[in-house]
Each structure stands twice: as C-alpha cells, then as structure tokens.
Amino acid sequence: MGFLSTLLGIIGFGIGTSSGLIAGFFLFIYSKPKPVKEPVTRSLYELDNDALLDILPDIPLWVKCPDYERVDWLNKFVTDMWPYLDKAICAQIKSITEPMFTEFVGTYLIEDIEYDNLSLGTIPPEIHGLKVCETNEKQLVLEPAVRWVGNPNIVLAVKLLSFRITVQLVDLQIFMAPRITLKPLVPTLPCFATVAVSLLEKPDVDFGMNILGCDIMAIPGLYQFVQKTIKRQVASLYIWPQTLEIPILDPATVAVKKPVGILQVNVVRAQKLLKKDLLGTSDPYVKLNLTGESLPSKKTTIKKRNLNPEWNEKFKLIVKDPEFQVLQLQVFDWDKVGNHDRLGMQFVPLKHLTPYETKEFKLDLLKHTDSYDPQDKKHRGNIVVELTYAPFREDSVKLDATQDGYGRKESGFDRRYSENEVYSGAGLLSVLVQGAEDVEGEHHNNPFAMVFFRGETKKTKMIKGTRDPIWNEEFHFMLEEPPLNEKIHIEVMSKRTGFSLRSKEHLGNVDINLTDVIHNGRINQKYHLIDSKNGVIHVDIKWTTA
C-alpha cells in the first residue's frame, strides 16, 4: 500500500517540490478538483429542491462566499500556459520520483519501475475563487479554491517476476483549498523571498486506476481504503501548520541583518599615550563602535592630563554579524577648541571571541588601519579592553501561536530557566514602526512617527502627501533589565514641506505597555491613535535576551 500511495501522490509531490516563482505559483494550480457536467441552460426557478442541491457543489466560491474574488483572468492565464506547464511539471515530477522508485526495486519482488507515459493532459485546473487574507506580518496570504477535472495520461510499467505490468491513472479529479504565503515581502523583485504552501483541510481526490486494463477501483472496499490512505499521507505532509517552502530569492540578496547578540565592552585602561598638549600631557577618551553600523559611537569619559588613564567603563553594543563585524577603538585627545587629535586606534574582529567567554585584549595603538605602513613606527601606547559576546537565546524570540485578531504573537520562555532568570538581565528592545492608516491633518498630510522611551527619541522618515504611510523603520534600545511596568510613547506628526506658521501638526499618539512584550517575547499589533478620528498605527515590538 505504501507503493500505491506513493504512486498516487506523484503529481502533487512533484509540483510541490518545484523551485522558483513559477513552481511556487503552480503549487496552488496542482491542487485542483472535480468534474463539471455539460451545462443545461435553465432558469433557477424551474429547478426543484433536489436539482438545486445537485448543482450547489459546482457553484464557484466567488458566488457563494463574498470574501472570495472571481479570477477569470488567472484561469485564462493558466489555460494559455497549460501546454508548457504540463511539460515543465512533468519533467520535475520525473526527476523527483524516479529516485523514489529505485527504493522499491528489490522489494515486493519488483525488478524495475519506469514511466511508459507521463502527461497531465489537455484540461487545465480551474480556480473557483481567490481570497486574499490580511495579516500584520510582512507577507501576503492567498487562499485559492482549486478544482481540476483532468485527463492525465500517466502510465507506469512495473516489472514483477519477469512480468511487465502497466498501471494507469485515469479520470483524475481533485479539489483542494491550499494556503499560499508569499514571505517575507522585500524590496527586491519579485518582492517576496519564499513561497510557503499548506493545506487548510484534507483534499478531495477521485480517480480510477487500471492495472492490465482492469479498473481495480471497482473492487469492493478498495476505493474507500485508497482514498483514506492518500488523504492521510498528504495531510501528514502539508496540512497546516506544516508547510512546503519553496525558495524564490537567494537569501544573501534580500537578507536584512537582525540583531543576534550583545557585545559587552569594558574599556579598562590605556598606557603611555602620546603627549599632545603644550604641557606635555593629553586629555584622552575612547570612542568605540562596530563596523557596518550607522549608530553613533559610544564614548568614555575624558581623563584630564593623564597619559595612563584608568576608565573601567562598560558598554553594550548590538551585534548583527559576529563573523564579519569588527570592534573599532579610537583614542582621542580632547581639546576645548578645534578638532580633537586622534592618539591611535585598533580593531578586534568579533570572530576571535568565544560566546559567553570574557577575553582580555592588550592592543598596541596604531596611527591608522594600515599596520604595515613604514611611516607608522612611532610608539603610541596601548589600550586594554575586556570583551564578552553573548548571543541571544533562541527561545527568547520563538514565535509559535497567534493570540488575537490583530495577529499578535506570543512566545514561551525556556522552561529550563526560572521565571526570575527570564525576566531579569540585559536585553534588546526592538521597535519596528511599520506604518499607519487613516491619519489626517487639518492643513497637511506629510506624516512621520516619533518614538519616545527613557529619555531617548527616535524618528522615522517623513512620507509626503499620504494618509497611509509605510515606514518600516526599526529602532533599538539596549537595556540593563526588562522594562516591566513601563510604557513606550509613539506620536504621529505631520510637517509642512515649505515655510508656514503651522509647520508641524499632531496626528495622534499611543502609549504601549511593555509588560506584555516581556512576557510574550513579541507583540505585533495595530493600535488606534489617541486624538485621531480613525487613525491606526502598526507596531512590532520584540524583547530579546542574551
């Protein structure tokens, strides 16, 4: 029965594992269902109840369900493309299934399996309706209702004990309701990186199977058994939340670097620095930052008139790529007037660090990055730093359940840790301001958002001439402890582009309690703006810990 189920699942499996945009698109085409009788033109009022009940299953979903759209254009596209799709899909099916057939050779007395014929026929699948689902995530969710009453010509030849037996699949009818998710949405054509396909319910499949010219589906009890077996095996692979994911774009071309950990830096001391002041001393301080970041550099305090300063000052930096990022340290001499003189600099590649292990570095200061410069022979002193790289715990950002209608997600913490351990310690608060809807000013609509938290202010770019701005800007706050019982304040403002007495205008605001973020790990939600008639802002907030 395992061989029979594998054989009957060939078409769906082959299309399902196709790669590329077209393959992903055809995944929801492969799942197609039932037969349509030649229509008889009669008015509905002429039909009795029994006749009406008979035609109800064949009425398209766009007629019965108002949230499904009619997609005649898409069916026309599929019809015109079907001869080419047939060949492309069959080639994919063949390349995938032939290695599978070899697994059966030698078992059940099977000596060989090969295709005598492989074609999906001349009748394309038909989409009876398409629903587009709204979500708070960066994705597009499509739910087509697909029917396929096909005339495939699929013939397998099985060599069994020197006998050649032909197995033919006939009268194939499929009805499926797949969910197709294009995610994540990215600013690179075709604007999504992956196609994820799952089934919302078990498919309806009807078919006949001729072996040596006889329809074995006519055997009593066998038809129902095969139907159940196929549905069970297909369901085990693709029923939601299980998905088949098809990559469309190379991850390297669309990757947006996300924080993966925290670098803790302790600037301990410097020794034998250069004398830059007239009195034979210097006023040193240290600037530190990670390469690949546009954030302002961190700075130590200034040690006046000291060539051997002791700082012992600690900083936390956000790490996005520990394999390639480098910590840059620059020592400056502070001057009250004019530019500050650089006393020296050094670099520490993060790949030299072992996670959670504190490592001390004593570094000779260089004039610039070219350490082989023959003119850079002057001794500039050294600097001592202690570095610890702490990756974020995977469980701290695990998302696994939808909690409410806004698409809010929740994540559990690792049960190996106590609640006090989970809700304590340093972490990163990430605030993604995705966009707003129906924000309207009295005098102008050039909205931007401002995020206020613990005395810091972050600001998105301004979008001109719109009531529905899309910002997609993320801001980070490094915190020593979870912001329990705290709120983050967000305001939406509008700014006139030219000169005006009313240059700025308040469009609405919201205060978000961060306690839920700490307990859930993430909140992705739309909030109604205070002081706005219909305005809504979409915010995604995460709390990740090391």
Side-chain angles (χ1 to χ4, degrees):
M1 198 64 240
F3 169 71
L4 182 59
S5 301
T6 301
L7 176 62
L8 296 174
I10 285 175
I11 296 177
F13 185 86
I15 299 176
T17 51
S18 307
S19 61
L21 173 59
I22 291 184
F25 175 76
F26 301 143
L27 237 168
F28 65 80
I29 290 175
Y30 105 78
S31 43
K32 321 314 177 185
K34 259 185 174 177
V36 180
K37 298 178 181 178
E38 199 63 36
V40 177
T41 306
R42 295 174 61 189
S43 300
L44 288 178
Y45 69 84
E46 298 178 9
L47 303 178
D48 56 21
N49 288 342
D50 291 338
L52 285 172
L53 289 174
D54 287 339
I55 68 171
L56 278 178
D58 293 323
I59 296 177
L61 269 180
W62 61 266
V63 175
K64 297 184 284 189
C65 303
D67 52 347
Y68 277 82
E69 300 287 341
R70 183 175 182 176
V71 285
D72 290 342
W73 63 270
L74 188 54
N75 285 316
K76 178 71 167 81
F77 172 83
V78 173
T79 299
D80 292 344
M81 288 288 292
W82 187 243
Y84 307 96
L85 298 179
D86 177 21
K87 293 180 180 179
I89 295 172
C90 286
Q92 189 72 15
I93 292 173
K94 202 168 184 180
S95 66
I96 292 171
T97 55
E98 284 183 341
M100 296 171 57
F101 292 158
T102 60
E103 298 179 7
F104 291 95
V105 175
T107 59
Y108 307 109
L109 304 178
I110 296 175
E111 297 179 6
D112 189 28
I113 306 175
E114 62 181 2
Y115 285 104
D116 254 11
N117 219 317
L118 178 58
S119 170
L120 300 184
T122 59
I123 302 175
E126 184 179 1
I127 301 171
H128 275 221
L130 176 66
K131 180 167 68 172
V132 180
C133 304
E134 182 180 356
T135 114
N136 285 345
E137 304 296 327
K138 288 185 177 180
Q139 61 187 24
L140 180 63
V141 179
L142 309 174
E143 292 184 0
V146 191
R147 290 175 178 268
W148 186 22
V149 184
N151 57 345
N153 185 11
I154 301 175
V155 182
L156 274 179
V158 181
K159 191 173 182 182
L160 186 67
L161 290 177
S162 300
F163 291 99
R164 193 171 185 273
I165 301 173
T166 58
V167 180
Q168 182 180 19
L169 187 68
V170 295
D171 300 330
L172 179 64
Q173 302 177 31
I174 303 174
F175 172 64
M176 283 189 177
R179 170 175 288 173
I180 303 157
T181 304
L182 312 180
K183 65 176 184 179
L185 301 180
V186 295
T188 303
L189 289 175
C191 297
F192 55 91
T194 305
V195 176
V197 183
S198 59
L199 298 176
L200 300 180
E201 56 188 28
K202 293 181 180 180
D204 288 329
V205 183
D206 197 2
F207 58 89
M209 182 172 289
N210 292 337
I211 296 183
L212 297 176
C214 301
D215 185 2
I216 65 168
M217 291 296 104
I219 298 176
L222 181 61
Y223 176 79
Q224 290 80 5
F225 173 72
V226 171
Q227 285 275 30
K228 289 181 181 179
T229 302
I230 292 175
K231 287 185 179 182
R232 184 170 59 250
Q233 294 207 358
V234 172
S236 68
L237 293 173
Y238 302 122
I239 287 288
W240 187 90
Q242 298 180 101
T243 60
L244 171 68
E245 294 201 353
I246 305 166
I248 303 299
L249 295 175
D250 183 353
T253 64
V254 297
V256 177
K257 298 291 185 182
K258 294 290 185 181
V260 296
I262 299 172
L263 177 66
Q264 302 180 47
V265 182
N266 180 19
V267 182
V268 182
R269 70 180 74 87
Q271 296 173 324
K272 300 179 182 180
L273 298 178
L274 292 179
K275 302 173 184 179
K276 285 292 184 178
D277 295 342
L278 294 176
L279 299 178
T281 184
S282 292
D283 304 320
Y285 69 92
V286 181
K287 288 176 64 174
L288 55 152
N289 66 283
L290 286 173
T291 56
E293 284 290 348
S294 57
L295 298 174
S297 299
K298 306 282 188 179
K299 296 180 183 179
T300 67
T301 56
I302 300 167
K303 299 297 183 180
K304 295 291 187 71
R305 296 180 294 278
N306 196 333
L307 299 180
N308 299 285
E310 293 272 351
W311 283 289
N312 277 311
E313 295 181 20
K314 297 181 180 180
F315 304 89
K316 288 185 172 65
L317 304 176
I318 300 168
V319 178
K320 293 184 177 179
D321 193 340
E323 282 297 311
F324 296 100
Q325 280 188 294
V326 174
L327 173 66
Q328 178 175 269
L329 300 159
Q330 300 181 82
V331 184
F332 285 88
D333 171 42
W334 177 84
D335 286 320
K336 193 170 185 178
V337 179
N339 294 329
H340 302 174
D341 297 322
R342 188 165 69 186
L343 302 177
M345 64 186 305
Q346 258 295 1
F347 294 89
V348 180
L350 300 191
K351 64 182 180 181
H352 294 163
L353 302 178
T354 301
Y356 305 110
E357 181 180 305
T358 300
K359 190 172 183 179
E360 182 180 277
F361 292 85
K362 185 175 181 180
L363 307 166
D364 290 330
L365 293 173
L366 306 174
K367 182 179 180 180
H368 44 62
T369 57
D370 185 3
S371 59
Y372 298 100
D373 185 355
Q375 298 179 357
D376 191 14
K377 296 297 184 182
K378 183 186 292 186
H379 182 71
R380 297 175 175 273
N382 58 64
I383 185 171
V384 178
V385 293
E386 294 175 348
L387 306 181
T388 307
Y389 171 56
F392 290 136
R393 291 206 311 266
E394 292 183 5
D395 63 290
S396 69
V397 292
K398 188 183 297 181
L399 307 174
D400 53 13
T402 300
Q403 192 180 55
D404 58 40
Y406 287 113
R408 169 176 164 182
K409 302 285 185 179
E410 68 173 8
S411 61
F413 53 81
D414 193 329
R415 300 299 175 183
R416 293 173 299 173
Y417 299 90
S418 70
E419 185 167 336
N420 289 335
E421 288 177 306
V422 172
Y423 298 146
S424 64
L428 179 69
L429 185 70
S430 303
V431 182
L432 174 61
V433 185
Q434 296 196 13
E437 301 170 13
D438 293 325
V439 290
E440 185 173 9
E442 294 182 11
H443 307 286
H444 43 77
N445 287 301
N446 304 310
F448 62 93
M450 301 180 69
V451 180
F452 301 88
F453 182 66
R454 289 190 177 181
E456 291 189 65
T457 302
K458 312 285 188 180
K459 181 181 175 182
T460 70
K461 60 181 177 291
M462 181 179 69
I463 309 294
K464 295 181 181 180
T466 180
R467 295 176 55 193
D468 305 305
I470 301 296
W471 295 296
N472 277 324
E473 293 191 40
E474 189 168 23
F475 307 106
H476 302 293
F477 300 89
M478 285 294 310
L479 306 178
E480 295 296 331
E481 57 186 14
L484 289 167
N485 304 316
E486 294 189 59
K487 294 182 179 181
I488 194 165
H489 181 75
I490 302 178
E491 292 186 10
V492 180
M493 305 288 292
S494 177
K495 183 177 181 180
R496 187 179 291 278
T497 54
F499 175 77
S500 172
L501 295 177
R502 297 189 178 98
S503 62
K504 289 186 180 180
E505 192 172 341
H506 181 77
L507 304 184
N509 65 88
V510 65
D511 288 308
I512 302 173
N513 193 323
L514 297 178
T515 300
D516 286 344
V517 179
I518 304 307
H519 286 282
N520 294 328
R522 179 190 182 203
I523 284 183
N524 182 8
Q525 194 163 347
K526 291 182 178 179
Y527 298 89
H528 294 287
L529 291 168
I530 300 171
D531 298 331
S532 175
K533 184 177 180 180
N534 299 308
V536 172
I537 189 168
H538 186 185
V539 184
D540 186 348
I541 307 178
K542 298 178 186 176
W543 171 250
T544 44
T545 57

